[in-house]
mmCIF file of all heavy atoms in Angstrom:
data_model
loop_
_atom_site.group_PDB
_atom_site.id
_atom_site.type_symbol
_atom_site.label_atom_id
_atom_site.label_comp_id
_atom_site.label_asym_id
_atom_site.label_seq_id
_atom_site.Cartn_x
_atom_site.Cartn_y
_atom_site.Cartn_z
ATOM 1 N N MET A 9 5.379 -4.007 -15.484
ATOM 2 C CA MET A 9 6.791 -3.852 -15.120
ATOM 3 C C MET A 9 7.725 -4.515 -16.123
ATOM 4 O O MET A 9 8.940 -4.461 -15.962
ATOM 5 C CB MET A 9 7.027 -4.424 -13.708
ATOM 6 C CG MET A 9 6.300 -3.673 -12.613
ATOM 7 S SD MET A 9 6.762 -4.216 -10.931
ATOM 8 C CE MET A 9 6.062 -5.875 -10.891
ATOM 9 N N ASP A 10 7.129 -5.173 -17.132
ATOM 10 C CA ASP A 10 7.903 -5.869 -18.160
ATOM 11 C C ASP A 10 8.851 -6.884 -17.535
ATOM 12 O O ASP A 10 10.065 -6.898 -17.786
ATOM 13 C CB ASP A 10 8.684 -4.875 -19.027
ATOM 14 C CG ASP A 10 9.243 -5.522 -20.297
ATOM 15 O OD1 ASP A 10 8.683 -6.554 -20.719
ATOM 16 O OD2 ASP A 10 10.220 -4.996 -20.847
ATOM 17 N N VAL A 11 8.297 -7.745 -16.701
ATOM 18 C CA VAL A 11 9.067 -8.821 -16.083
ATOM 19 C C VAL A 11 8.353 -10.135 -16.356
ATOM 20 O O VAL A 11 7.178 -10.161 -16.738
ATOM 21 C CB VAL A 11 9.219 -8.610 -14.553
ATOM 22 C CG1 VAL A 11 9.963 -7.325 -14.259
ATOM 23 C CG2 VAL A 11 7.859 -8.625 -13.864
ATOM 24 N N SER A 12 9.050 -11.217 -16.160
ATOM 25 C CA SER A 12 8.456 -12.538 -16.353
ATOM 26 C C SER A 12 8.687 -13.371 -15.106
ATOM 27 O O SER A 12 9.533 -13.054 -14.268
ATOM 28 C CB SER A 12 9.053 -13.227 -17.581
ATOM 29 O OG SER A 12 10.464 -13.321 -17.460
ATOM 30 N N GLY A 13 7.946 -14.444 -15.013
ATOM 31 C CA GLY A 13 8.059 -15.288 -13.841
ATOM 32 C C GLY A 13 9.211 -16.270 -13.941
ATOM 33 O O GLY A 13 9.537 -16.779 -15.010
ATOM 34 N N ASP A 14 9.843 -16.506 -12.820
ATOM 35 C CA ASP A 14 10.901 -17.506 -12.717
ATOM 36 C C ASP A 14 10.241 -18.831 -12.330
ATOM 37 O O ASP A 14 9.554 -18.906 -11.310
ATOM 38 C CB ASP A 14 11.904 -17.067 -11.639
ATOM 39 C CG ASP A 14 13.090 -18.016 -11.518
ATOM 40 O OD1 ASP A 14 12.932 -19.221 -11.767
ATOM 41 O OD2 ASP A 14 14.176 -17.537 -11.157
ATOM 42 N N PRO A 15 10.432 -19.893 -13.124
ATOM 43 C CA PRO A 15 9.775 -21.172 -12.820
ATOM 44 C C PRO A 15 10.037 -21.669 -11.402
ATOM 45 O O PRO A 15 9.229 -22.415 -10.845
ATOM 46 C CB PRO A 15 10.362 -22.125 -13.865
ATOM 47 C CG PRO A 15 10.789 -21.243 -14.994
ATOM 48 C CD PRO A 15 11.239 -19.962 -14.349
ATOM 49 N N GLN A 16 11.163 -21.259 -10.826
ATOM 50 C CA GLN A 16 11.500 -21.748 -9.489
ATOM 51 C C GLN A 16 10.949 -20.868 -8.367
ATOM 52 O O GLN A 16 11.110 -21.206 -7.188
ATOM 53 C CB GLN A 16 13.022 -21.834 -9.359
ATOM 54 C CG GLN A 16 13.673 -22.798 -10.347
ATOM 55 C CD GLN A 16 15.156 -22.927 -10.100
ATOM 56 O OE1 GLN A 16 15.620 -22.942 -8.960
ATOM 57 N NE2 GLN A 16 15.933 -23.013 -11.171
ATOM 58 N N LEU A 17 10.309 -19.757 -8.734
ATOM 59 C CA LEU A 17 9.812 -18.828 -7.708
ATOM 60 C C LEU A 17 8.290 -18.779 -7.758
ATOM 61 O O LEU A 17 7.696 -18.035 -8.528
ATOM 62 C CB LEU A 17 10.391 -17.427 -7.936
ATOM 63 C CG LEU A 17 11.913 -17.307 -7.853
ATOM 64 C CD1 LEU A 17 12.353 -15.883 -8.157
ATOM 65 C CD2 LEU A 17 12.423 -17.745 -6.475
ATOM 66 N N LEU A 18 7.666 -19.583 -6.928
ATOM 67 C CA LEU A 18 6.206 -19.633 -6.876
ATOM 68 C C LEU A 18 5.697 -18.918 -5.634
ATOM 69 O O LEU A 18 6.198 -19.144 -4.524
ATOM 70 C CB LEU A 18 5.714 -21.083 -6.860
ATOM 71 C CG LEU A 18 5.676 -21.834 -8.189
ATOM 72 C CD1 LEU A 18 5.193 -23.256 -7.969
ATOM 73 C CD2 LEU A 18 4.773 -21.115 -9.188
ATOM 74 N N LEU A 19 4.726 -18.052 -5.815
ATOM 75 C CA LEU A 19 4.065 -17.426 -4.683
ATOM 76 C C LEU A 19 3.262 -18.466 -3.923
ATOM 77 O O LEU A 19 2.748 -19.433 -4.512
ATOM 78 C CB LEU A 19 3.111 -16.329 -5.168
ATOM 79 C CG LEU A 19 3.732 -15.062 -5.754
ATOM 80 C CD1 LEU A 19 2.675 -14.284 -6.525
ATOM 81 C CD2 LEU A 19 4.335 -14.203 -4.658
ATOM 82 N N ASN A 20 3.129 -18.271 -2.638
ATOM 83 C CA ASN A 20 2.204 -19.112 -1.890
ATOM 84 C C ASN A 20 0.797 -18.829 -2.373
ATOM 85 O O ASN A 20 0.426 -17.666 -2.558
ATOM 86 C CB ASN A 20 2.296 -18.829 -0.392
ATOM 87 C CG ASN A 20 3.611 -19.278 0.200
ATOM 88 O OD1 ASN A 20 4.188 -20.270 -0.222
ATOM 89 N ND2 ASN A 20 4.102 -18.539 1.186
ATOM 90 N N PRO A 21 -0.009 -19.845 -2.620
ATOM 91 C CA PRO A 21 -1.384 -19.580 -3.054
ATOM 92 C C PRO A 21 -2.158 -18.840 -1.977
ATOM 93 O O PRO A 21 -1.825 -18.926 -0.785
ATOM 94 C CB PRO A 21 -1.966 -20.982 -3.293
ATOM 95 C CG PRO A 21 -1.117 -21.891 -2.481
ATOM 96 C CD PRO A 21 0.260 -21.281 -2.476
ATOM 97 N N ALA A 22 -3.148 -18.110 -2.397
ATOM 98 C CA ALA A 22 -3.985 -17.384 -1.442
ATOM 99 C C ALA A 22 -4.503 -18.345 -0.379
ATOM 100 O O ALA A 22 -4.926 -19.462 -0.688
ATOM 101 C CB ALA A 22 -5.136 -16.708 -2.168
ATOM 102 N N GLY A 23 -4.467 -17.915 0.884
ATOM 103 C CA GLY A 23 -4.852 -18.798 1.981
ATOM 104 C C GLY A 23 -6.298 -19.217 1.948
ATOM 105 O O GLY A 23 -6.660 -20.269 2.463
ATOM 106 N N SER A 24 -7.139 -18.394 1.369
ATOM 107 C CA SER A 24 -8.549 -18.741 1.208
ATOM 108 C C SER A 24 -8.993 -18.159 -0.122
ATOM 109 O O SER A 24 -8.194 -17.572 -0.852
ATOM 110 C CB SER A 24 -9.390 -18.184 2.361
ATOM 111 O OG SER A 24 -9.340 -16.766 2.353
ATOM 112 N N SER A 25 -10.231 -18.343 -0.453
ATOM 113 C CA SER A 25 -10.746 -17.779 -1.699
ATOM 114 C C SER A 25 -12.160 -17.289 -1.432
ATOM 115 O O SER A 25 -13.091 -18.076 -1.293
ATOM 116 C CB SER A 25 -10.743 -18.828 -2.813
ATOM 117 O OG SER A 25 -11.233 -18.278 -4.025
ATOM 118 N N LYS A 26 -12.286 -15.977 -1.306
ATOM 119 C CA LYS A 26 -13.582 -15.372 -1.024
ATOM 120 C C LYS A 26 -13.618 -13.998 -1.656
ATOM 121 O O LYS A 26 -12.583 -13.412 -1.966
ATOM 122 C CB LYS A 26 -13.823 -15.268 0.483
ATOM 123 C CG LYS A 26 -12.696 -14.570 1.245
ATOM 124 C CD LYS A 26 -12.951 -14.587 2.725
ATOM 125 C CE LYS A 26 -11.777 -13.991 3.505
ATOM 126 N NZ LYS A 26 -10.674 -14.953 3.656
ATOM 127 N N ARG A 27 -14.807 -13.490 -1.861
ATOM 128 C CA ARG A 27 -14.981 -12.155 -2.425
ATOM 129 C C ARG A 27 -15.677 -11.296 -1.392
ATOM 130 O O ARG A 27 -16.841 -11.518 -1.063
ATOM 131 C CB ARG A 27 -15.780 -12.236 -3.731
ATOM 132 C CG ARG A 27 -14.996 -12.852 -4.867
ATOM 133 C CD ARG A 27 -15.817 -12.994 -6.126
ATOM 134 N NE ARG A 27 -16.713 -14.144 -6.050
ATOM 135 C CZ ARG A 27 -17.520 -14.527 -7.036
ATOM 136 N NH1 ARG A 27 -17.560 -13.831 -8.168
ATOM 137 N NH2 ARG A 27 -18.279 -15.582 -6.901
ATOM 138 N N CYS A 28 -14.951 -10.325 -0.855
ATOM 139 C CA CYS A 28 -15.465 -9.499 0.230
ATOM 140 C C CYS A 28 -16.170 -8.265 -0.323
ATOM 141 O O CYS A 28 -15.668 -7.605 -1.231
ATOM 142 C CB CYS A 28 -14.330 -9.077 1.159
ATOM 143 S SG CYS A 28 -13.519 -10.461 1.976
ATOM 144 N N SER A 29 -17.313 -7.959 0.253
ATOM 145 C CA SER A 29 -18.133 -6.835 -0.192
ATOM 146 C C SER A 29 -17.945 -5.627 0.720
ATOM 147 O O SER A 29 -17.971 -5.757 1.949
ATOM 148 C CB SER A 29 -19.611 -7.235 -0.196
ATOM 149 O OG SER A 29 -20.446 -6.103 -0.380
ATOM 150 N N ASN A 30 -17.798 -4.449 0.111
ATOM 151 C CA ASN A 30 -17.698 -3.206 0.889
ATOM 152 C C ASN A 30 -18.999 -2.418 0.864
ATOM 153 O O ASN A 30 -19.005 -1.212 1.135
ATOM 154 C CB ASN A 30 -16.538 -2.348 0.384
ATOM 155 C CG ASN A 30 -16.744 -1.878 -1.066
ATOM 156 O OD1 ASN A 30 -17.840 -1.970 -1.630
ATOM 157 N ND2 ASN A 30 -15.699 -1.352 -1.680
ATOM 158 N N ARG A 31 -20.093 -3.091 0.546
ATOM 159 C CA ARG A 31 -21.366 -2.393 0.359
ATOM 160 C C ARG A 31 -21.782 -1.605 1.609
ATOM 161 O O ARG A 31 -22.229 -0.467 1.507
ATOM 162 C CB ARG A 31 -22.469 -3.388 -0.019
ATOM 163 C CG ARG A 31 -23.823 -2.732 -0.302
ATOM 164 C CD ARG A 31 -24.842 -3.761 -0.758
ATOM 165 N NE ARG A 31 -24.383 -4.459 -1.956
ATOM 166 C CZ ARG A 31 -25.041 -5.472 -2.506
ATOM 167 N NH1 ARG A 31 -26.153 -5.941 -1.947
ATOM 168 N NH2 ARG A 31 -24.579 -6.044 -3.598
ATOM 169 N N LEU A 32 -21.631 -2.204 2.789
ATOM 170 C CA LEU A 32 -22.058 -1.506 4.002
ATOM 171 C C LEU A 32 -21.196 -0.272 4.247
ATOM 172 O O LEU A 32 -21.712 0.803 4.577
ATOM 173 C CB LEU A 32 -21.983 -2.445 5.203
ATOM 174 C CG LEU A 32 -22.449 -1.834 6.541
ATOM 175 C CD1 LEU A 32 -23.908 -1.408 6.453
ATOM 176 C CD2 LEU A 32 -22.253 -2.832 7.684
ATOM 177 N N ALA A 33 -19.884 -0.406 4.086
ATOM 178 C CA ALA A 33 -18.996 0.748 4.268
ATOM 179 C C ALA A 33 -19.348 1.850 3.270
ATOM 180 O O ALA A 33 -19.390 3.037 3.623
ATOM 181 C CB ALA A 33 -17.541 0.325 4.101
ATOM 182 N N ARG A 34 -19.606 1.482 2.041
ATOM 183 C CA ARG A 34 -19.971 2.471 1.022
ATOM 184 C C ARG A 34 -21.297 3.157 1.364
ATOM 185 O O ARG A 34 -21.481 4.339 1.052
ATOM 186 C CB ARG A 34 -20.075 1.810 -0.356
ATOM 187 C CG ARG A 34 -18.753 1.777 -1.134
ATOM 188 C CD ARG A 34 -18.957 1.244 -2.538
ATOM 189 N NE ARG A 34 -17.869 1.583 -3.433
ATOM 190 C CZ ARG A 34 -17.773 2.727 -4.090
ATOM 191 N NH1 ARG A 34 -18.710 3.639 -3.950
ATOM 192 N NH2 ARG A 34 -16.742 2.964 -4.890
ATOM 193 N N SER A 35 -22.200 2.451 2.020
ATOM 194 C CA SER A 35 -23.507 3.033 2.351
ATOM 195 C C SER A 35 -23.393 4.168 3.355
ATOM 196 O O SER A 35 -24.323 4.961 3.520
ATOM 197 C CB SER A 35 -24.446 1.950 2.902
ATOM 198 O OG SER A 35 -24.091 1.578 4.228
ATOM 199 N N THR A 36 -22.239 4.288 4.037
ATOM 200 C CA THR A 36 -22.026 5.369 5.001
ATOM 201 C C THR A 36 -21.548 6.650 4.330
ATOM 202 O O THR A 36 -21.398 7.676 4.988
ATOM 203 C CB THR A 36 -20.983 4.962 6.054
ATOM 204 O OG1 THR A 36 -19.696 4.838 5.417
ATOM 205 C CG2 THR A 36 -21.353 3.634 6.714
ATOM 206 N N GLY A 37 -21.243 6.567 3.034
ATOM 207 C CA GLY A 37 -20.715 7.727 2.329
ATOM 208 C C GLY A 37 -19.237 7.624 2.011
ATOM 209 O O GLY A 37 -18.685 8.493 1.336
ATOM 210 N N TRP A 38 -18.605 6.549 2.469
ATOM 211 C CA TRP A 38 -17.199 6.323 2.148
ATOM 212 C C TRP A 38 -17.075 5.660 0.788
ATOM 213 O O TRP A 38 -17.939 4.858 0.400
ATOM 214 C CB TRP A 38 -16.559 5.437 3.200
ATOM 215 C CG TRP A 38 -15.171 4.941 2.852
ATOM 216 C CD1 TRP A 38 -13.996 5.597 3.015
ATOM 217 C CD2 TRP A 38 -14.832 3.672 2.276
ATOM 218 N NE1 TRP A 38 -12.944 4.826 2.575
ATOM 219 C CE2 TRP A 38 -13.430 3.642 2.123
ATOM 220 C CE3 TRP A 38 -15.586 2.564 1.872
ATOM 221 C CZ2 TRP A 38 -12.755 2.543 1.581
ATOM 222 C CZ3 TRP A 38 -14.918 1.469 1.336
ATOM 223 C CH2 TRP A 38 -13.523 1.460 1.198
ATOM 224 N N ALA A 39 -16.036 5.994 0.067
ATOM 225 C CA ALA A 39 -15.730 5.319 -1.196
ATOM 226 C C ALA A 39 -14.215 5.241 -1.342
ATOM 227 O O ALA A 39 -13.506 6.200 -1.025
ATOM 228 C CB ALA A 39 -16.338 6.061 -2.384
#
């Protein structure tokens, strides 16, 4: 988007940190 961050505008950090797997959903034929 050709924008830069404003030092005074910080996003809230992610509430947790995990990597979720969609392997089971994909095994049904969904993608």
Side-chain angles (χ1 to χ4, degrees):
M9 295 188 292
D10 193 23
V11 299
S12 57
D14 183 329
Q16 299 185 38
L17 298 178
L18 281 179
L19 290 164
N20 291 326
S24 63
S25 180
K26 53 184 175 280
R27 289 177 282 182
C28 297
S29 169
N30 64 13
R31 183 176 302 175
L32 182 61
R34 271 186 161 276
S35 74
T36 67
W38 170 83

